[in-house]
Amino acid sequence: MSASYAVHGPVAVITLDNPPVNGLGYGTRRGVADGLARAQDDPAVRALVITGAGRAFSGGADIREFDSPQAMREPNLLSLILAIEASSKPVVAAVHTVCMGGGLELALGCHYRVAAPGCKVGLPEVKIGLIPGAGGTQRLPRVLGVETALNMILGGEPVASEVLAKLPGQRLFDRLIDGDLLAGALAFAAEVADQRPLPLVRRLAASHPNPDAYFQFARNTAAAMAKQFPAPRKCIDMVAASLELPFDEAMRLEWSTFTALMLTPESRALRHVFMAERAAGKIADVPADTPVRSVKRLAVIGAGTMGGGIAMNFLNAGLPVVMLETKQEALDRGVATIRGNYDAQVKKGKLKAELAEQRLGLLSTTLDYADLADADMVIEAVFEDLGVKEQVFRRLDEVMKPGAILASNTSTLDLNRIAAFTQRPQDVIGTHFFSPANVMKLLEVVRGEQTAKDVLATVMQLGKKIRKTCVVSGVCDGFIGNRMVEQYLRQAFLLVDEGSTPQQVDKAIERFGFAMGPFRMSDLAGNDIGWAIRKRRYAERPHMQYSKTPDLLCEKGRFGQKTGAGWYDYQAGKRDAIPSPVVLELIEGHRRTLGITPRKIGDDEIVERLVYALVNEGAHLLEEGIAAKASDIDMVYLTGYGFPLHRGGPMRHADEVGLFNVVRAMRRFQRNPLDDATFWEPAPLLARLATDGTTFG
Ligand code: NAD
């Protein structure tokens, strides 16, 4: 049982005890129900307190029970709350630290609530595509007012207890208790022990002076901001129901809405992402208690596009950074860019000027490797050239103190070779940031053959500290993300040869939900980058069929936004992609040269070819052990490549479509004379799972 029972004088105390956050799993619910029953039967007990052990009152549902029948096992949360309401003796919730989701719903079912200041209070269900399902949408508006409650339910973000306790007219907290919460709660319970009738939130009325206009406004906002997700609209409907329907009827509607949302692909995708995010931090052979090295001072080599952004991450986290370059001008340029970024944030009101200065104060620069000697970790972000990396790593090996971590931001080079330039390959690791490095969430942590476990654990922890989503990748050309995107782009280019236009391809995949189609993305990243990679591929894979159209584009100097022209035209200073007659002419001319009669390609085919190209390469990565879990690949694509969140990532999307159907589509693409049949040969893992009728998940 994950709840304890104790009697303190006239008050029984039920303490939720299910680490880490007292999730309301079956054992916890059972424990509370038993405690309630005991207290009813004990004549010496005149009131009850429910509180939480350790670091939370309760974080809500136990995620280990997600999607299992155990979540509904009686007493389920709804029955438990009814039992609390029905208690003949007053029940006081004593909340502290974290009171979220089902935890808050449980507290709202109690007769009284007292809170410690600094407690995070919220209903985050919307973040996993749900509405609160145990009365949250009905009780919160009754204690906080419709607008505050709806804002909290729609936003899903916690609000501090002391902020809520100060709201005029609030009925959420009966008392804020500074100091010893349990002592305060016991005193409060004794005070109210004889109060009758017992107050119930369900008996309060929810009201709003102008409900029609208000809910219309809320619906319009939700429609604009959360198009792909049904849950926000349902949250609004349910809060509106708190005004319109009798309590029990609204509760039945809340329950049926909640269970219907549970089955939507959007909620299942968001739940998948929730779990995937947590799973990404777990590495099978690196236990959670692996000791980590202390990283308090960093060094960054190279003050270019990536070096500057990388440095900012650490400055923002309050860690001093020394940046090294070969020339003073390069340092000056790099520092000016960093300063410019901070100034822009200050101008937009996103950052206080003093804080920007404080962060800049943590940055120092040098031309001398001797100044790196006291850094605990160095990240190299110099030119992508093995010779240059060799020079840098040999120097680092000489100057860095023993135990320092040596990281490379290389995107394509072999990390094992880089590690071999040093006498300490166990201390070398890849940290593959994405551009702009101070903004993008994704960090691929590249594990070399000899990277030590504590180095890996340290970098994963540091990544969290700078608020990145860290995903471990093995060593290969392109790591997880770029190796997959290459296959995706290859399809995009072939689609254009066969009859699509760049706009059509972009629109189709953007309608599917991608933030940006492949052609707009290439124009943003620079078409010359892909060109350089393809030149290598032509030599490595002479038999593979590639579209030459992107090369013709590059030969015309159309590198994308930076040159004002790429797959699209751009006006000076603007980022809007304008369809280009020149590009259309180039595409048509090339088709004539190849003797291709263009065909009309449907949006479905475009989406399937682009996405299944990702999925098949993802399956290869899993098979080769470059990616450890399918959900890691999903996290890479969601956080680094704008894959639609409501689909949960490419691998999860394939599972949703059904791997059998994915393979069938690939077999169909194998018959396309303008593509390679070998390209569409399902990866053995994919073929096996499809045959077995199972999933990547
Ligand atoms: P960049 O050209 O903008 O910057 C490189 C900087 O390194 C320059 O300022 C240069 O002066 C400096 N430099 C070169 N040789 C040096 C040396 N021996 N010692 C010290 N400084 C030296 O390049 P970038 O785009 O910032 O890329 C840096 C690294 O990051 C590369 O390995 C690249 O593959 C990788 N990367 C780039 C991106 C991206 O989108 N640009 C994304 C991920 C990874």
Side-chain angles (χ1 to χ4, degrees), residues 501-667:
T501 61
Q503 305 75 289
Q504 193 201 350
V505 174
D506 281 352
K507 277 229 180 74
I509 200 80
E510 286 163 16
R511 233 176 266 135
F512 173 80
F514 263 86
M516 201 185 275
F519 294 96
R520 288 210 292 141
M521 183 186 80
S522 296
D523 274 359
L524 180 65
N527 294 316
D528 47 326
I529 295 179
W531 195 21
I533 295 173
R534 281 194 306 281
K535 285 179 191 161
R536 280 212 318 270
R537 296 291 177 256
Y538 298 152
E540 291 164 5
R541 305 174 189 167
H543 304 299
M544 182 70 98
Q545 205 157 321
Y546 282 94
S547 164
K548 292 290 174 328
T549 309
D551 301 351
L552 298 175
L553 191 82
C554 288
E555 282 165 19
K556 285 187 174 298
R558 297 184 67 106
F559 291 163
Q561 286 191 19
K562 61 184 169 190
T563 56
W567 291 102
Y568 296 93
D569 290 332
Y570 296 89
Q571 285 170 344
K574 293 199 178 152
R575 288 170 175 275
D576 308 287
I578 305 163
S580 164
V582 179
V583 172
L584 215 57
E585 178 48 42
L586 181 145
I587 292 169
E588 283 166 1
H590 186 52
R591 282 186 200 139
R592 281 194 296 275
T593 317
L594 296 174
I596 296 175
T597 313
R599 69 182 169 98
K600 196 167 158 29
I601 302 177
D603 285 3
D604 287 351
E605 180 180 338
I606 293 173
V607 169
E608 285 183 335
R609 282 174 61 179
L610 293 180
V611 176
Y612 297 167
L614 292 176
V615 171
N616 202 36
E617 194 65 19
H620 282 298
L621 287 165
L622 284 171
E623 201 136 43
E624 292 167 28
I626 302 291
K629 310 182 263 315
S631 64
D632 282 356
I633 297 178
D634 287 335
M635 286 319 296
V636 166
Y637 263 77
L638 290 166
T639 54
Y641 294 83
F643 197 94
L645 178 64
H646 67 283
R647 300 190 191 274
M651 310 312 271
R652 158 74 214 167
H653 173 70
D655 281 349
E656 183 74 27
V657 171
L659 300 186
F660 175 80
N661 294 319
V662 172
V663 167
R664 222 167 37 140
M666 290 170 66
R667 295 285 181 218

Side-chain angles (χ1 to χ4, degrees), residues 428-475:
V428 177
I429 192 165
T431 46
H432 186 221
F433 286 84
F434 286 69
S435 181
N438 54 317
V439 177
M440 293 291 288
K441 283 292 287 177
L442 178 61
L443 175 60
E444 283 181 325
V445 176
V446 184
R447 182 178 190 173
E449 258 161 29
Q450 299 195 53
T451 305
K453 288 184 186 183
D454 66 332
V455 169
L456 189 58
T458 305
V459 172
M460 293 297 281
Q461 193 189 66
L462 188 67
K464 228 189 214 168
K465 186 160 187 181
I466 59 170
R467 302 165 77 166
K468 298 292 177 195
T469 299
C470 300
V471 177
V472 177
S473 171
V475 176

Side-chain angles (χ1 to χ4, degrees), residues 681-697:
E681 187 55 36
L685 173 69
L686 172 57
R688 206 162 55 240
L689 295 176
T691 309
D692 294 350
T694 55
T695 61
F696 288 117

